[in-house]
């Protein structure tokens, strides 16, 4: 009986070890590279957390042109990846095709919520809620009652950031002016810091003294231009307060690191589920960044106003309009 018990225990241990050995996670970053100090880097932070905790290395690929997405995803599957994370909405078509070709593998994607596959998890965020609270901060910080927004590629998702931001600004000062510019209409708009700087300077010339960006790598130019002009920028996705300490009022945190970490953690534990996961303020999916780099910029009044806005949104007293629901902005 003892031998039988030991044999069963050894079999279970071997089975678990075999599963661990077979577990091969992969991530495909989008344009801009994994060290873009923004969206991709936020995902990379989640990947690093998973590797630090599990000891499992994650296979990686950084897309440098649009034709690589599907090829890279299929190559990862061919190399034995058991769970593949696609970063960004631009990978939707690729992941839809490859997930159908490999029904025994698990797939996850960030910023997509319209696909339907039994082996696919989709993460969507309430960027409008996070943008609203940094809009409150911008309005409180502004001395001119004029603030700005620089988007990357002109798509509904980025309009969603912009609209939430306007809502937050207007909740503090209905007479405030909010200047808006998009960097471009192609994927290159995510990685054009020179254009970001040019657009920011244009808004500053018109009186804006706080400029929020949702522009990926282009945002580096936004932050630098604001700092050079003695004005304030607001970062996005990752905590960008440290890029120009004292010149970044705050950053709208979009916790794509959580999506990456959860994807691999759940897959490794055999708890991966498909479907849509929505992360907003209530779920800790978006927030604003407070640290030593912006401590001198955030007043007690500002902090109180932002925290009240957060509580009102989470509690339901304030509903932030989602631009993507009707492609309009009522603010």
């Amino acid at each position: 009986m003892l031998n039988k018990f030991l044999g069963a225990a050894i079999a279970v241990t071997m089975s678990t070890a075999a599963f661990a050995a077979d577990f091969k996670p992969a991530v495909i970053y989008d344009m801009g590279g994994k060290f873009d100090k923004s969206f991709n880097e936020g995902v990379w932070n989640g990947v690093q957390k998973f590797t630090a905790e599990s000891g499992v290395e994650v296979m990686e690929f950084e897309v440098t042109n649009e034709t690589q997405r599907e090829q890279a995803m299929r190559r990862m599957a061919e190399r034995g990846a058991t769970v593949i994370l696609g970063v960004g909405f631009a990978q939707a078509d690729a992941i839809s095709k490859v997930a159908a070709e490999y029904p025994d593998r698990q797939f996850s994607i960030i910023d997509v919520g319209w696909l339907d596959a039994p082996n696919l998890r989709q993460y969507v965020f309430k960027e409008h809620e996070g943008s609203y609270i940094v809009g409150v901060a911008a309005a409180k910080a502004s001395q001119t009652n004029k603030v700005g927004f620089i988007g990357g590629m002109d798509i509904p998702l980025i309009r969603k950031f912009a609209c939430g931001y306007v809502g937050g600004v207007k909740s503090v000062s209905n007479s405030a002016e909010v200047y808006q510019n998009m960097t471009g209409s192609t994927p290159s708009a995510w990685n054009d810091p020179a254009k970001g700087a040019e657009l920011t300077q244009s808004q500053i010339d018109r009186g804006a003294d706080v400029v929020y960006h949702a522009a990926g790598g282009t945002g580096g130019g936004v932050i630098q231009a604001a700092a050079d002009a003695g004005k304030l920028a607001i970062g996005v996705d990752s905590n960008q307060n440290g890029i120009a300490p004292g010149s970044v009022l705050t950053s709208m945190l979009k916790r794509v690191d959580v999506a990456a970490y959860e994807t691999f953690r759940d897959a490794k534990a055999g708890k991966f589920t498909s479907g849509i996961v929505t992360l907003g303020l209530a779920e800790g999916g978006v927030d604003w960044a407070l640290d030593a780099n912006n401590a001198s910029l955030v007043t007690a009044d500002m902090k109180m106003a932002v925290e009240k806005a957060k509580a009102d949104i989470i509690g339901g007293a304030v509903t932030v309009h989602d631009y993507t629901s009707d492609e309009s902005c009522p603010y």
Side-chain angles (χ1 to χ4, degrees):
M1 175 67 78
L2 180 59
N3 286 341
K4 184 176 181 181
F5 173 78
L6 287 174
I10 291 169
V12 170
T13 301
M14 289 178 65
S15 175
T16 302
F19 176 79
D22 289 341
F23 177 71
K24 294 182 179 179
V27 59
I28 299 171
Y29 298 101
D30 209 4
M31 306 277 280
K34 67 180 179 181
F35 297 126
D36 62 356
K37 299 188 183 300
S38 187
F39 185 71
N40 282 312
E41 192 159 333
V43 173
W44 181 79
N45 288 334
V47 171
Q48 292 305 296
K49 179 182 178 183
F50 169 77
T51 296
E53 288 187 8
S54 67
V56 177
E57 292 294 329
V58 179
M59 294 188 289
E60 298 179 324
F61 185 84
E62 297 177 61
V63 170
T64 56
N65 70 68
E66 296 178 61
T67 64
Q68 293 178 323
R69 296 187 180 105
E70 187 177 332
Q71 296 170 359
M73 204 165 289
R74 188 172 285 106
R75 192 174 301 120
M76 288 296 190
E78 291 169 352
R79 290 175 60 189
T82 53
V83 56
I84 300 172
L85 172 64
V87 179
F89 67 91
Q91 299 195 34
D93 289 346
I95 210 165
S96 181
K97 290 179 184 178
V98 181
E101 293 172 16
Y102 292 87
D104 60 331
R105 313 294 173 85
Q106 296 165 335
F107 295 82
S108 181
I109 190 165
I110 296 170
D111 279 352
V112 173
W114 59 86
L115 299 177
D116 184 17
N119 57 336
L120 176 64
R121 177 184 291 187
Q122 303 169 74
Y123 280 93
V124 294
F125 290 80
K126 295 182 178 179
E127 296 93 349
H128 51 304
E129 293 184 349
S131 296
Y132 184 99
I133 64 171
V134 299
V136 170
K140 285 288 185 179
S142 179
Q143 301 295 311
T144 62
N145 209 30
K146 297 175 182 179
V147 299
F149 174 85
I150 304 293
M153 187 175 173
D154 191 357
I155 53 173
L157 174 62
I158 301 305
R159 295 282 176 181
K160 181 181 179 183
F161 281 84
C163 184
Y165 178 65
V166 174
V169 171
K170 296 286 189 178
S171 73
V172 174
S173 174
N174 193 50
S175 63
E177 291 186 64
V178 184
Y179 304 131
Q180 299 183 45
N181 290 104
M182 297 293 175
T183 306
S185 57
T186 66
S188 63
W190 302 119
N191 196 26
D192 192 348
K195 183 68 172 178
E198 177 188 326
L199 293 172
T200 301
Q201 187 59 55
S202 175
Q203 293 186 354
I204 290 171
D205 289 344
R206 296 165 65 192
D209 56 356
V210 184
V211 181
Y212 171 40
H213 87 86
T218 297
V222 174
I223 293 171
Q224 191 59 55
D228 289 347
K231 308 302 180 184
L232 295 173
I234 296 178
V236 78
D237 296 336
S238 299
N239 182 353
Q240 299 185 320
N241 295 356
I243 293 177
S247 294
V248 181
L249 177 63
T250 186
S251 297
M252 197 288 275
L253 300 176
K254 179 176 174 180
R255 299 299 304 276
V256 290
D257 59 318
V258 171
Y261 173 77
E262 286 184 353
T263 290
F264 297 135
R265 178 201 64 190
D266 293 352
K268 185 176 186 297
K271 297 179 179 179
F272 185 90
T273 55
S274 60
I276 298 172
V277 179
T278 302
L279 300 176
L281 278 173
E283 298 80 17
V286 294
D287 208 340
W288 69 320
L290 295 170
D291 61 19
N293 293 307
N294 70 337
S296 64
L297 303 173
V298 177
T299 65
D301 177 58
M302 185 189 302
K303 187 172 183 179
M304 186 182 303
V306 172
E307 293 302 323
K308 182 180 186 304
K310 283 177 60 175
D312 286 346
I313 293 167
I314 292 170
V318 170
T319 299
V320 185
H321 183 75
D322 179 355
Y323 177 90
T324 59
S325 67
D326 60 3
E327 299 205 349
S328 74
C329 187
Y331 303 116

